[in-house]
Amino acid sequence: MANAVPVRCPACLRENDYVTPVFPCACGTPVTPPLDLAAPPRELTHRTWSEAWVTVRCAACGRESEWPHPEVGCGSCGTVVLVPVHPPAPAVVRTPPQAPQTSQTSQAQHPAEPAGGDVRTEPRAGTEPRGRVPGSPGSAPSPQGPGQGQGQVPGQGQGPGPGPGQSGQPVPRPAFRPVTIRTARDAVATAALYLRWLGFQDVRQPDGRPIPSAAVDLRAPGLVAQVDPTTAPAGVRAVECVWLNGLTASATSVYFSLAGYTQDARTRADELGIPLFVMDLTGMPQPVNDPADGLVATGA
């Protein structure tokens, strides 16, 4: 068990003992959030979804996971105090040093070239002779015509290209790091992390009293998402509800489910263009229809 550390309440200045929690990593190694005791604690006045989690890196496997932000309640005035945490240090990529190129290596790469003097070689088909710049006197004209370089597709370079998510090309992004799902709250947290990985910003639960429902509502600019952590497959009504919510907000509608979907729900989602994702207990969402595949490929 970790030792207790003193945390001073910023409201009444009383010191409260706080025991750092221990969380199990996916590799089985116990990890603890690295507390920053040099930074002053902060009073929690308004709880938000983004500030409720902190990124912790496992020292054994290097996996980064989202865990609850350390906090302690003051025993004197009842203030909830957020304990500062060190952010994970950026990973250092080391490349092996390259061996210097010797004269023997250079001669082995170009065995046909003499050590000195002019090199006179016949140009290969489709290439310019050495020492000549394309378009200079004596150079062969380009078969593509003026204004088009080699390998350039006609029509490109004449205006701005399509924006993100409009070309249909895959968007490069780092690999998604899943979070093991143990509770319904873990399922909501995983869906929020996945939506941020897709490119949606400020993913959160809307303020106010939630509507009584088994699914949890997530919102972001241009996004309406439903997360269903129950053990029953999502039906047609659930798909149509998230579609109507997205239609009202002029936003993209997305649905996440732990238990999958009925066949009628998948058919209806394909008709409405609703991306459907299913999550397993490892915390890795998987697309189950074409709109979901398109969202993963192009991003937000």
Coordinates of all heavy atoms in Angstrom, one line a residue, residues 95-171:
T95 N 17.9 6.8 -32.9 CA 18.3 6.2 -34.2 C 19.7 5.8 -34.1 O 20.6 6.5 -33.6 CB 18.0 7.1 -35.4 OG1 18.8 8.3 -35.2 CG2 16.6 7.5 -35.5
P96 N 20.1 4.6 -34.6 CA 21.5 4.2 -34.6 C 22.3 5.0 -35.5 O 21.9 5.5 -36.5 CB 21.4 2.7 -35.1 CG 20.2 2.7 -35.9 CD 19.2 3.6 -35.3
P97 N 23.6 5.3 -35.0 CA 24.5 6.2 -35.9 C 24.8 5.5 -37.2 O 25.0 4.3 -37.2 CB 25.7 6.4 -35.0 CG 25.7 5.2 -34.0 CD 24.2 4.9 -33.8
Q98 N 24.9 6.3 -38.2 CA 25.3 5.7 -39.5 C 26.8 5.7 -39.7 O 27.5 6.7 -39.3 CB 24.6 6.6 -40.6 CG 23.1 6.6 -40.6 CD 22.5 7.4 -41.7 OE1 23.3 8.0 -42.5 NE2 21.2 7.4 -41.9
A99 N 27.3 4.6 -40.2 CA 28.7 4.5 -40.5 C 29.1 5.4 -41.6 O 28.4 5.6 -42.6 CB 29.0 3.0 -40.8
P100 N 30.3 6.0 -41.4 CA 30.8 6.9 -42.5 C 31.1 6.1 -43.8 O 31.6 5.0 -43.8 CB 32.1 7.5 -41.9 CG 32.5 6.6 -40.9 CD 31.3 6.0 -40.3
Q101 N 30.8 6.8 -44.9 CA 31.0 6.1 -46.2 C 32.4 6.2 -46.6 O 33.0 7.3 -46.7 CB 30.1 6.8 -47.3 CG 30.1 6.1 -48.6 CD 29.1 6.7 -49.5 OE1 28.7 7.8 -49.3 NE2 28.8 6.1 -50.6
T102 N 33.1 5.1 -46.9 CA 34.5 5.1 -47.3 C 34.6 5.1 -48.8 O 33.6 4.9 -49.5 CB 35.2 3.8 -46.7 OG1 34.5 2.7 -47.2 CG2 35.1 3.8 -45.2
S103 N 35.8 5.2 -49.2 CA 36.1 5.2 -50.7 C 35.8 3.9 -51.3 O 35.3 3.8 -52.4 CB 37.5 5.6 -51.0 OG 38.4 4.7 -50.3
Q104 N 36.0 2.8 -50.5 CA 35.7 1.5 -51.1 C 34.2 1.3 -51.2 O 33.8 0.7 -52.2 CB 36.3 0.4 -50.1 CG 37.8 0.4 -50.0 CD 38.3 -0.7 -49.1 OE1 37.5 -1.3 -48.5 NE2 39.7 -0.8 -49.0
T105 N 33.4 1.8 -50.3 CA 32.0 1.7 -50.4 C 31.5 2.5 -51.6 O 30.6 2.1 -52.3 CB 31.3 2.2 -49.1 OG1 31.8 1.5 -48.0 CG2 29.8 2.0 -49.2
S106 N 32.1 3.7 -51.8 CA 31.6 4.5 -52.9 C 32.0 3.9 -54.2 O 31.2 3.9 -55.2 CB 32.3 5.9 -52.8 OG 32.0 6.7 -53.9
Q107 N 33.2 3.2 -54.3 CA 33.5 2.5 -55.5 C 32.6 1.3 -55.8 O 32.3 0.9 -56.9 CB 35.0 2.1 -55.5 CG 35.9 3.4 -55.5 CD 37.4 2.9 -55.4 OE1 37.7 1.7 -55.4 NE2 38.3 3.9 -55.4
A108 N 32.2 0.7 -54.7 CA 31.4 -0.5 -54.8 C 30.0 -0.1 -55.3 O 29.3 -0.9 -56.0 CB 31.3 -1.3 -53.5
Q109 N 29.5 1.1 -54.9 CA 28.2 1.5 -55.4 C 28.2 2.0 -56.8 O 27.2 1.9 -57.5 CB 27.7 2.7 -54.5 CG 27.4 2.2 -53.0 CD 27.0 3.4 -52.2 OE1 27.0 4.6 -52.7 NE2 26.6 3.1 -51.0
H110 N 29.4 2.5 -57.3 CA 29.5 2.9 -58.7 C 30.7 2.3 -59.3 O 31.7 2.9 -59.5 CB 29.6 4.5 -58.7 CG 28.5 5.2 -58.0 ND1 27.3 5.3 -58.5 CD2 28.5 5.8 -56.8 CE1 26.5 6.0 -57.6 NE2 27.3 6.3 -56.5
P111 N 30.6 1.0 -59.6 CA 31.8 0.3 -60.1 C 32.2 0.7 -61.5 O 33.3 0.6 -62.0 CB 31.4 -1.2 -60.1 CG 29.9 -1.1 -60.2 CD 29.5 0.1 -59.4
A112 N 31.2 1.3 -62.3 CA 31.4 1.6 -63.7 C 32.1 3.0 -63.8 O 32.5 3.4 -64.9 CB 30.2 1.6 -64.5
E113 N 32.1 3.8 -62.7 CA 32.6 5.2 -62.8 C 34.1 5.2 -62.4 O 34.4 4.6 -61.4 CB 31.8 6.1 -61.9 CG 30.3 6.2 -62.3 CD 29.6 7.2 -61.4 OE1 30.3 7.8 -60.5 OE2 28.4 7.4 -61.6
P114 N 34.9 5.9 -63.2 CA 36.3 6.0 -62.8 C 36.5 6.9 -61.6 O 35.6 7.7 -61.2 CB 37.0 6.6 -64.1 CG 35.9 7.3 -64.8 CD 34.6 6.5 -64.5
A115 N 37.7 6.9 -61.0 CA 37.9 7.7 -59.8 C 37.9 9.2 -60.1 O 37.6 10.0 -59.3 CB 39.2 7.3 -59.2
G116 N 38.3 9.6 -61.3 CA 38.4 11.0 -61.6 C 38.1 11.3 -63.1 O 37.9 10.3 -63.9
G117 N 38.0 12.6 -63.5 CA 37.7 12.9 -64.9 C 36.3 13.0 -65.1 O 35.4 12.8 -64.3
D118 N 35.9 13.4 -66.4 CA 34.5 13.5 -66.7 C 33.9 12.2 -66.9 O 34.5 11.2 -67.3 CB 34.4 14.3 -68.1 CG 34.9 15.7 -67.9 OD1 34.9 16.2 -66.7 OD2 35.4 16.3 -68.9
V119 N 32.7 12.1 -66.6 CA 31.9 10.9 -66.7 C 30.9 11.1 -67.9 O 30.1 12.0 -67.9 CB 31.1 10.6 -65.4 CG1 30.3 9.3 -65.6 CG2 32.0 10.4 -64.3
R120 N 31.0 10.3 -68.9 CA 30.2 10.4 -70.1 C 29.3 9.1 -70.2 O 29.9 8.1 -70.5 CB 31.0 10.6 -71.4 CG 31.9 11.9 -71.3 CD 32.7 12.0 -72.6 NE 33.5 13.2 -72.6 CZ 33.1 14.4 -72.9 NH1 31.8 14.6 -73.3 NH2 33.9 15.5 -72.8
T121 N 28.1 9.3 -69.9 CA 27.2 8.1 -70.0 C 26.0 8.5 -70.9 O 25.7 9.7 -71.0 CB 26.7 7.7 -68.6 OG1 26.0 8.9 -68.0 CG2 27.8 7.3 -67.7
E122 N 25.5 7.5 -71.5 CA 24.3 7.8 -72.3 C 23.1 7.9 -71.4 O 22.9 7.0 -70.5 CB 24.1 6.6 -73.3 CG 25.2 6.5 -74.4 CD 25.2 7.7 -75.3 OE1 24.1 8.3 -75.5 OE2 26.3 8.1 -75.8
P123 N 22.2 8.9 -71.6 CA 21.0 9.0 -70.8 C 20.0 7.9 -71.1 O 19.9 7.4 -72.2 CB 20.4 10.3 -71.2 CG 20.9 10.5 -72.6 CD 22.3 9.9 -72.7
R124 N 19.4 7.4 -70.0 CA 18.4 6.4 -70.1 C 17.1 7.0 -70.7 O 16.9 8.2 -70.6 CB 18.1 5.7 -68.8 CG 19.3 4.9 -68.2 CD 19.0 4.4 -66.9 NE 18.9 5.5 -65.9 CZ 18.5 5.3 -64.7 NH1 18.3 4.1 -64.2 NH2 18.4 6.4 -63.9
A125 N 16.2 6.2 -71.1 CA 15.0 6.6 -71.7 C 14.1 7.3 -70.6 O 13.9 6.7 -69.6 CB 14.2 5.5 -72.4
G126 N 13.6 8.5 -70.9 CA 12.7 9.2 -70.0 C 13.5 10.0 -68.9 O 12.8 10.5 -68.0
T127 N 14.8 10.1 -69.0 CA 15.6 10.9 -68.1 C 16.4 11.9 -68.8 O 16.7 11.8 -70.0 CB 16.5 10.0 -67.2 OG1 17.4 9.4 -68.1 CG2 15.7 8.9 -66.5
E128 N 16.8 12.9 -68.1 CA 17.7 14.0 -68.6 C 19.1 13.6 -68.4 O 19.5 13.0 -67.5 CB 17.4 15.3 -67.9 CG 16.0 15.9 -68.2 CD 15.9 16.4 -69.6 OE1 16.9 16.7 -70.2 OE2 14.8 16.6 -70.1
P129 N 20.0 14.0 -69.4 CA 21.4 13.8 -69.2 C 21.9 14.5 -68.0 O 21.4 15.5 -67.6 CB 22.0 14.3 -70.5 CG 20.9 14.4 -71.5 CD 19.7 14.6 -70.7
R130 N 23.0 14.0 -67.4 CA 23.6 14.6 -66.3 C 24.1 16.0 -66.7 O 24.7 16.2 -67.7 CB 24.8 13.8 -65.7 CG 24.3 12.5 -65.2 CD 25.5 11.8 -64.5 NE 25.0 10.5 -63.9 CZ 25.8 9.7 -63.2 NH1 27.1 10.0 -63.0 NH2 25.4 8.6 -62.8
G131 N 24.0 17.0 -65.7 CA 24.5 18.3 -66.0 C 23.5 19.2 -66.7 O 23.8 20.4 -66.9
R132 N 22.3 18.7 -67.1 CA 21.4 19.5 -67.8 C 20.1 19.7 -67.0 O 19.7 18.7 -66.3 CB 21.0 18.9 -69.2 CG 22.1 18.8 -70.2 CD 21.7 18.2 -71.5 NE 22.7 18.2 -72.4 CZ 22.6 17.7 -73.7 NH1 21.5 17.1 -74.0 NH2 23.6 17.7 -74.5
V133 N 19.6 20.8 -67.0 CA 18.3 21.1 -66.3 C 17.2 21.1 -67.3 O 17.3 21.6 -68.4 CB 18.4 22.5 -65.7 CG1 17.1 22.9 -64.9 CG2 19.6 22.6 -64.7
P134 N 16.1 20.4 -66.9 CA 14.9 20.3 -67.8 C 14.5 21.7 -68.2 O 14.3 22.6 -67.4 CB 13.8 19.6 -66.9 CG 14.6 18.8 -65.9 CD 15.8 19.6 -65.6
G135 N 14.3 21.9 -69.5 CA 13.9 23.2 -70.0 C 15.0 24.0 -70.5 O 14.8 25.1 -71.1
S136 N 16.3 23.6 -70.2 CA 17.5 24.3 -70.7 C 17.7 23.9 -72.2 O 17.3 22.9 -72.7 CB 18.7 24.0 -69.8 OG 19.0 22.6 -69.9
P137 N 18.5 24.8 -72.9 CA 18.8 24.5 -74.3 C 19.5 23.1 -74.4 O 20.5 22.8 -73.7 CB 19.8 25.6 -74.7 CG 19.4 26.7 -73.8 CD 19.1 26.1 -72.5
G138 N 19.1 22.3 -75.3 CA 19.7 21.0 -75.6 C 19.0 19.9 -74.8 O 19.4 18.8 -75.0
S139 N 18.1 20.2 -73.9 CA 17.4 19.2 -73.2 C 16.2 18.7 -74.0 O 15.6 19.5 -74.7 CB 17.0 19.7 -71.8 OG 16.1 20.8 -71.9
A140 N 15.8 17.5 -73.8 CA 14.7 16.9 -74.5 C 13.4 17.5 -73.9 O 13.3 17.7 -72.7 CB 14.7 15.4 -74.3
P141 N 12.4 17.8 -74.8 CA 11.2 18.4 -74.3 C 10.4 17.4 -73.5 O 10.5 16.2 -73.7 CB 10.4 18.8 -75.6 CG 11.0 17.9 -76.6 CD 12.4 17.7 -76.3
S142 N 9.7 17.8 -72.5 CA 8.9 16.9 -71.6 C 7.6 16.5 -72.4 O 6.9 17.3 -73.0 CB 8.4 17.7 -70.4 OG 7.5 16.9 -69.6
P143 N 7.4 15.2 -72.4 CA 6.2 14.7 -73.1 C 4.9 15.1 -72.5 O 3.8 14.9 -73.1 CB 6.3 13.1 -73.1 CG 7.1 12.9 -71.8 CD 8.1 14.1 -71.7
Q144 N 4.9 15.7 -71.3 CA 3.7 16.1 -70.7 C 3.3 17.5 -71.0 O 2.2 18.0 -70.6 CB 3.8 16.0 -69.2 CG 4.1 14.6 -68.7 CD 4.3 14.5 -67.2 OE1 4.6 15.5 -66.6 NE2 4.2 13.3 -66.7
G145 N 4.1 18.2 -71.8 CA 3.7 19.5 -72.2 C 4.3 20.6 -71.2 O 4.7 20.2 -70.1
P146 N 4.2 21.8 -71.6 CA 4.7 22.9 -70.7 C 3.9 23.0 -69.5 O 2.7 22.9 -69.5 CB 4.7 24.1 -71.6 CG 3.7 23.9 -72.6 CD 3.7 22.4 -72.9
G147 N 4.5 23.4 -68.3 CA 3.8 23.7 -67.1 C 3.5 22.5 -66.3 O 2.9 22.6 -65.2
Q148 N 3.9 21.3 -66.7 CA 3.6 20.1 -65.9 C 4.9 19.3 -65.7 O 5.6 19.0 -66.7 CB 2.6 19.1 -66.7 CG 1.3 19.8 -66.9 CD 0.3 18.8 -67.6 OE1 0.7 17.7 -67.8 NE2 -0.8 19.3 -67.9
G149 N 5.3 19.1 -64.5 CA 6.5 18.4 -64.2 C 6.3 16.9 -64.3 O 5.2 16.4 -64.4
Q150 N 7.4 16.2 -64.2 CA 7.3 14.7 -64.3 C 6.6 14.2 -63.1 O 6.9 14.6 -61.9 CB 8.8 14.2 -64.3 CG 9.5 14.5 -65.6 CD 10.9 13.9 -65.7 OE1 11.2 13.1 -64.8 NE2 11.6 14.2 -66.7
G151 N 5.7 13.3 -63.3 CA 5.0 12.6 -62.2 C 3.8 13.4 -61.7 O 3.1 13.0 -60.8
Q152 N 3.5 14.6 -62.3 CA 2.4 15.4 -61.8 C 1.2 15.1 -62.7 O 1.2 15.0 -63.9 CB 2.8 16.9 -62.0 CG 1.7 17.8 -61.5 CD 2.1 19.3 -61.6 OE1 3.2 19.6 -62.0 NE2 1.1 20.2 -61.3
V153 N 0.1 15.0 -62.0 CA -1.2 14.6 -62.6 C -1.8 15.9 -63.2 O -1.8 16.9 -62.5 CB -2.1 14.0 -61.6 CG1 -3.5 13.6 -62.3 CG2 -1.5 12.7 -61.1
P154 N -2.2 15.9 -64.4 CA -2.8 17.2 -65.0 C -4.0 17.6 -64.1 O -4.8 16.8 -63.8 CB -3.3 16.8 -66.4 CG -2.4 15.6 -66.7 CD -2.1 14.9 -65.4
G155 N -4.0 18.9 -63.9 CA -5.1 19.5 -63.1 C -4.7 19.7 -61.6 O -5.4 20.5 -60.9
Q156 N -3.6 19.1 -61.1 CA -3.2 19.3 -59.8 C -2.3 20.6 -59.8 O -1.7 20.9 -60.7 CB -2.4 18.1 -59.2 CG -3.3 16.9 -59.0 CD -2.5 15.8 -58.4 OE1 -1.3 15.9 -58.2 NE2 -3.2 14.7 -58.0
G157 N -2.2 21.2 -58.6 CA -1.3 22.3 -58.4 C -2.0 23.6 -58.9 O -1.3 24.6 -59.1
Q158 N -3.2 23.6 -59.3 CA -3.9 24.8 -59.9 C -4.9 25.4 -59.0 O -5.7 26.2 -59.3 CB -4.6 24.4 -61.2 CG -3.6 23.8 -62.3 CD -4.4 23.4 -63.5 OE1 -5.6 23.6 -63.6 NE2 -3.7 22.9 -64.5
G159 N -4.9 25.0 -57.7 CA -5.8 25.6 -56.7 C -5.7 24.8 -55.4 O -5.0 23.8 -55.3
P160 N -6.4 25.2 -54.4 CA -6.3 24.6 -53.1 C -7.0 23.2 -53.2 O -8.0 23.1 -53.8 CB -7.0 25.5 -52.1 CG -7.9 26.3 -53.1 CD -7.2 26.5 -54.4
G161 N -6.4 22.2 -52.5 CA -6.9 20.9 -52.5 C -8.1 20.8 -51.5 O -8.5 21.7 -50.8
P162 N -8.8 19.6 -51.5 CA -9.9 19.4 -50.6 C -9.5 19.5 -49.1 O -8.3 19.1 -48.8 CB -10.5 18.1 -51.0 CG -9.3 17.4 -51.6 CD -8.5 18.4 -52.3
G163 N -10.3 19.8 -48.3 CA -10.0 19.9 -46.8 C -10.0 18.5 -46.2 O -10.3 17.5 -46.9
P164 N -9.7 18.4 -44.9 CA -9.7 17.1 -44.2 C -11.1 16.5 -44.2 O -12.1 17.2 -44.0 CB -9.3 17.5 -42.8 CG -8.6 18.9 -42.9 CD -9.3 19.5 -44.1
G165 N -11.1 15.2 -44.5 CA -12.4 14.5 -44.5 C -13.2 14.6 -45.7 O -14.3 14.1 -45.8
Q166 N -12.7 15.4 -46.8 CA -13.4 15.6 -48.0 C -12.8 14.8 -49.2 O -13.5 14.5 -50.1 CB -13.4 17.0 -48.4 CG -14.1 17.9 -47.4 CD -14.1 19.4 -47.7 OE1 -13.6 19.7 -48.8 NE2 -14.6 20.2 -46.9
S167 N -11.5 14.4 -49.1 CA -10.9 13.7 -50.2 C -11.2 12.2 -50.1 O -10.9 11.5 -51.1 CB -9.4 13.9 -50.2 OG -8.8 13.5 -48.9
G168 N -11.6 11.7 -49.0 CA -11.8 10.2 -48.8 C -10.5 9.5 -48.6 O -10.6 8.2 -48.5
Q169 N -9.4 10.2 -48.5 CA -8.1 9.5 -48.2 C -7.9 9.3 -46.7 O -8.4 10.1 -45.9 CB -6.9 10.4 -48.8 CG -7.0 10.5 -50.3 CD -6.9 9.2 -51.1 OE1 -6.2 8.3 -50.6 NE2 -7.5 9.1 -52.2
P170 N -7.2 8.2 -46.3 CA -7.0 8.0 -44.9 C -6.2 9.1 -44.3 O -5.3 9.6 -44.8 CB -6.2 6.6 -44.9 CG -6.5 6.0 -46.2 CD -6.7 7.1 -47.2
V171 N -6.6 9.5 -43.1 CA -5.9 10.6 -42.3 C -4.9 9.9 -41.4 O -5.2 9.1 -40.6 CB -7.0 11.4 -41.5 CG1 -6.2 12.4 -40.7 CG2 -8.0 12.0 -42.4

